[in-house]
Amino acid sequence: MGVPQNSPFAASEAKKFPREIEYCNNNSLFSGEATMNNVSGFYENSKIFITGATGFLGKALVEKLLRSCDGLDSVYVLMRPKRGMAVEQRLKELFKNPVFNRIREKDPDAFEKVKAISGDVSLPNLGIGDGDKAFLVDNINIVFHSAATVKFNEDLKNAVILNTLGTKRVLQICKEMKRLKSFVHVSTAYCNSDKDTVEETVYKPPYDPEAVINCIDVLADEAIDVLAQKMLDKHPNTYTLTKAMAEHIVLENSELIPSAVVRPSIITAAWKEPYPGWVDNISGITGIFMECGRGTIKTIICDEKCRIDVIPVDVVVDTLITAAWHTVANRSNAMRVYNCTSGFSNPITWKKFGELTQKYALEYPSKYVTWYPGFTYRTNRTLHALYATLFHTVPSALLDVFLYCSGQQPMMLKFSRKIYSALSAGSFFSTHEWDFKASTMDELVEAVKHAEDGERFNVDLRESNGFTWDCYVKDFMLGVRKFVLKDDVSSLAKAKIKLNRLYWFQKIFQIVSLYAMLKVTTNFLY
């Protein structure tokens, strides 16, 4: 709850959150016990600023805020013009996404609350004009910073500019905001992937963020490439490294800004909201999951005994929304970090997740199924490369020959290489596991449970709260089928007929291949 004026902690809290304390004491937007016990009440009449709103997580965040915190005043989203399209037009295109269908049906006027601010986190002052900046400084109450590049193969310069320097630039504007109540930074559970046990604390990064930012600004690209090789060390990619440095910058500014850091693990399709299985991209594990369902992936570098840590996007969104409230309603002397992961409450191994994937790939095949689904985990990279050549590259090359001869554009070999690259990029995470501590996340779960409107926000992934992996993977498969492949359920009957043909084709191919191998072996021996 709030800190009483006569509390021995009042002085230190006032030093830590000087403008926020003054704001809460003197502004009707956040006052009274009712607001402290009510998440949506915290957002009543609030103006919110969001970066990264066009991303997978960002879209879901905007949708949930409009739907569950309907008393909010407005949402301002940072957007950059793209492909000749102004930000206002991009915003209209954004609202066409199926994630907003429930709002379109229930209250289409809610879209009027969302305004686009032209800008870019890669630019000084976020590329925001003077007038827009003055408005944000004078009016914004809550900030969610989720803009980032999530590419594992991003070069160091771009990753630092977008993930680390971009965070610094957002915080510089936040420090000027006169009515700021809460700042929530979206990080990643893997920003400390060099550690086996990850506590809910900000660790000292391997390199000073300010020094790295300065180096990126003055060094030639060739020198930066050399620097990247040295800096990565135990980090698997530039994404985890630059997010670790970004967290440190947030911590350094938390004495002036009421801040929280939310660390989701691998974000996947929705559990419940806005629709079970909703997903709108094929990056990372979702793309691999989709191709396993289509049968194009036959081998994966993975230790099946390790835990896979995936977290539904709606659970992450609800954690962000409630973390902003929790930061103020239950103040702490230290900045809170929330490890938003599944392993601490409902763990599952790669083996079990793979079995469920195979089960529902066969039960709900898409009309776009290419081969009969079936894949194998292996840790031997040489054997993986051999299997990938035999079952990914060679079939793709043969299909490209067929496409070329039939006057179509060859594409399968290029696609196969993309899959192989994605599998390689994710292999670090599929061959390691982490113990993510979650005492702060547990505190949030309990706080939300006791909030007056806590039932609106799903932050508890325990089986006792209704979450089961069997149902989730089923919805995930159906979600990919519906929202990504745009494959209506009406095609299921024909898809199963196609799947049956592929099964017998595979059996015949295996028999012919075995016969050919025996024939070659016999000729060789005799």
Side-chain angles (χ1 to χ4, degrees), residues 506-524:
Q506 176 177 279
K507 290 299 180 186
I508 294 169
F509 180 77
Q510 288 172 342
I511 292 170
V512 170
S513 298
L514 180 61
Y515 174 78
M517 288 176 63
L518 289 173
K519 193 75 173 173
V520 170
T521 303
T522 302
N523 291 338
F524 178 76

Side-chain angles (χ1 to χ4, degrees), residues 92-344:
K92 290 179 181 178
E93 291 298 314
L94 178 69
F95 289 147
K96 293 178 182 178
N97 191 286
V99 72
F100 296 105
N101 283 352
R102 285 182 65 179
I103 294 177
R104 217 178 338 267
E105 296 165 2
K106 174 188 172 185
D107 182 18
D109 291 339
F111 293 125
E112 298 299 321
K113 294 183 178 182
V114 185
K115 316 291 182 184
I117 298 284
S118 183
D120 190 333
V121 295
S122 68
L123 300 175
N125 285 318
L126 304 182
I128 296 175
D130 292 341
D132 284 338
K133 181 182 176 182
F135 176 84
L136 296 177
V137 166
D138 288 341
N139 293 279
I140 292 299
N141 310 122
I142 301 159
V143 174
F144 294 100
H145 175 46
S146 69
T149 173
V150 297
K151 295 179 182 177
F152 286 173
N153 59 351
E154 189 73 82
D155 63 77
L156 180 63
K157 183 173 183 177
N158 282 335
V160 169
I161 290 172
L162 294 171
N163 295 347
T164 309
L165 180 56
T167 300
K168 179 183 177 181
R169 286 168 172 162
V170 172
L171 287 164
Q172 285 172 337
I173 292 181
C174 285
K175 282 191 287 188
E176 298 179 45
M177 290 180 178
K178 301 171 184 177
R179 300 158 66 85
L180 184 67
K181 294 194 290 188
S182 192
F183 168 82
V184 181
H185 171 68
V186 182
S187 185
T188 171
Y190 301 102
C191 61
N192 300 292
S193 54
D194 55 328
K195 298 172 177 59
D196 295 328
T197 299
V198 181
E199 302 283 351
E200 290 174 304
T201 186
V202 176
Y203 294 90
K204 183 179 179 180
Y207 298 92
D208 177 56
E210 292 295 337
V212 174
I213 289 171
N214 291 335
C215 286
I216 293 299
D217 190 42
V218 299
L219 292 178
D221 290 347
E222 296 79 8
I224 294 174
D225 291 339
V226 174
L227 180 65
Q229 295 175 13
K230 171 68 177 174
M231 288 181 63
L232 284 178
D233 192 24
K234 295 181 180 180
H235 277 271
N237 50 55
T238 57
Y239 173 65
T240 63
L241 174 65
T242 52
K243 293 295 275 186
M245 292 190 292
E247 276 195 6
H248 189 70
I249 291 176
V250 175
L251 178 65
E252 287 183 325
N253 286 274
S254 64
E255 290 187 358
L256 298 173
I257 300 170
S259 306
V261 171
V262 174
R263 290 179 182 154
S265 51
I266 303 168
I267 304 176
T268 47
W271 169 24
K272 292 182 178 181
E273 298 181 307
Y275 305 100
W278 174 78
V279 63
D280 78 336
N281 69 77
I282 56 171
S283 62
I285 196 170
T286 299
I288 294 171
F289 181 81
M290 180 182 75
E291 292 309 319
C292 286
R294 292 181 63 233
T296 58
I297 288 181
K298 299 298 182 185
T299 176
I300 300 174
I301 300 175
C302 178
D303 184 345
E304 64 178 23
K305 299 187 296 297
C306 289
R307 292 188 302 272
I308 175 177
D309 207 306
V310 297
I311 191 81
V313 64
D314 52 333
V315 175
V316 181
V317 163
D318 287 348
T319 300
L320 293 173
I321 293 172
T322 56
W325 160 78
H326 194 230
T327 297
V328 179
N330 299 80
R331 291 197 194 98
S332 169
N333 287 328
M335 183 185 74
R336 283 192 177 92
V337 177
Y338 302 86
N339 281 345
C340 183
T341 63
S342 60
F344 83 96

Side-chain angles (χ1 to χ4, degrees), residues 255-462:
E255 290 187 358
L256 298 173
I257 300 170
S259 306
V261 171
V262 174
R263 290 179 182 154
S265 51
I266 303 168
I267 304 176
T268 47
W271 169 24
K272 292 182 178 181
E273 298 181 307
Y275 305 100
W278 174 78
V279 63
D280 78 336
N281 69 77
I282 56 171
S283 62
I285 196 170
T286 299
I288 294 171
F289 181 81
M290 180 182 75
E291 292 309 319
C292 286
R294 292 181 63 233
T296 58
I297 288 181
K298 299 298 182 185
T299 176
I300 300 174
I301 300 175
C302 178
D303 184 345
E304 64 178 23
K305 299 187 296 297
C306 289
R307 292 188 302 272
I308 175 177
D309 207 306
V310 297
I311 191 81
V313 64
D314 52 333
V315 175
V316 181
V317 163
D318 287 348
T319 300
L320 293 173
I321 293 172
T322 56
W325 160 78
H326 194 230
T327 297
V328 179
N330 299 80
R331 291 197 194 98
S332 169
N333 287 328
M335 183 185 74
R336 283 192 177 92
V337 177
Y338 302 86
N339 281 345
C340 183
T341 63
S342 60
F344 83 96
S345 60
N346 204 335
I348 185 173
T349 63
W350 281 94
K351 180 180 180 180
K352 181 62 177 176
F353 194 87
E355 289 171 351
L356 292 173
T357 300
Q358 177 70 3
K359 173 184 175 181
Y360 290 112
L362 297 178
E363 193 168 333
Y364 298 102
S366 164
K367 66 182 179 182
Y368 298 111
V369 63
T370 304
W371 304 108
Y372 191 79
F375 56 92
T376 307
Y377 292 139
R378 49 180 51 85
T379 55
N380 187 308
R381 292 176 183 269
T382 302
L383 199 57
H384 168 74
L386 176 62
Y387 271 75
T389 300
L390 291 173
F391 298 109
H392 295 172
T393 307
V394 171
S396 296
L398 292 174
L399 278 172
D400 271 354
V401 170
F402 171 77
L403 289 172
Y404 179 78
C405 292
S406 59
Q408 300 178 65
Q409 181 70 32
M411 66 178 78
M412 295 307 298
L413 196 56
K414 182 179 179 180
F415 180 67
S416 176
R417 287 169 179 158
K418 258 181 110 171
I419 293 175
Y420 189 82
S421 176
L423 291 171
S424 298
S427 63
F428 178 85
F429 304 96
S430 57
T431 54
H432 293 78
E433 68 177 20
W434 293 264
D435 181 14
F436 296 112
K437 299 301 181 183
S439 58
T440 307
M441 189 68 198
D442 273 338
E443 289 176 13
L444 180 66
V445 169
E446 286 302 309
V448 172
K449 188 184 298 183
H450 290 93
E452 292 174 354
D453 58 346
E455 73 283 349
R456 292 189 188 183
F457 305 96
N458 293 308
V459 295
D460 187 357
L461 212 60
R462 292 180 179 87

